[in-house]
Amino acid sequence: MMKNSKSLFKASTILIWLSFAFIAFSFIAPYIFTASSCCNRLNFTGTGTIGDTIGGIMNPFIAIAGVITTFLAFRMQVEANNIQKLQFLQSLQKEKK
């Protein structure tokens, strides 16, 4: 049980930092993708209104961060439920004695 908690904590920490990286990149991405490009194929400066461009660029990264944090919340809830179930079973065994 302890080893599982440590691996869960490590995975959670990695996923939280990954979420922060996606959110940070979403603020930098509009500048990167709307700046002048060295080749015309990657030039996004003429793509519609700038608000639509920035929203379209930032949205996937923020959505991915949201999915990761939602997964972490569900995973932590499952872990908490398992701990609570274990404690309940232990208290039932103590009452039987």
Side-chain angles (χ1 to χ4, degrees), residues 7-87:
S7 66
L8 178 64
F9 178 75
K10 185 176 181 181
S12 299
T13 304
I14 291 170
L15 290 174
I16 287 172
W17 281 109
L18 185 63
S19 295
F20 284 134
F22 276 122
I23 290 172
F25 183 72
S26 71
F27 288 109
I28 299 168
Y31 175 75
I32 293 171
F33 292 126
T34 58
S36 296
S37 177
C38 59
C39 67
N40 289 334
R41 196 176 126 177
L42 298 174
N43 189 0
F44 295 112
T45 56
T47 56
T49 59
I50 194 69
D52 291 339
T53 302
I54 290 172
I57 291 170
M58 291 175 67
N59 187 35
F61 300 107
I62 293 174
I64 290 170
V67 167
I68 290 171
T69 53
T70 302
F71 168 75
L72 283 174
F74 287 134
R75 180 97 186 247
M76 294 295 178
Q77 187 63 45
V78 167
E79 184 70 24
N81 289 343
N82 288 337
I83 291 170
Q84 189 174 13
K85 183 171 72 172
L86 181 65
Q87 290 174 347

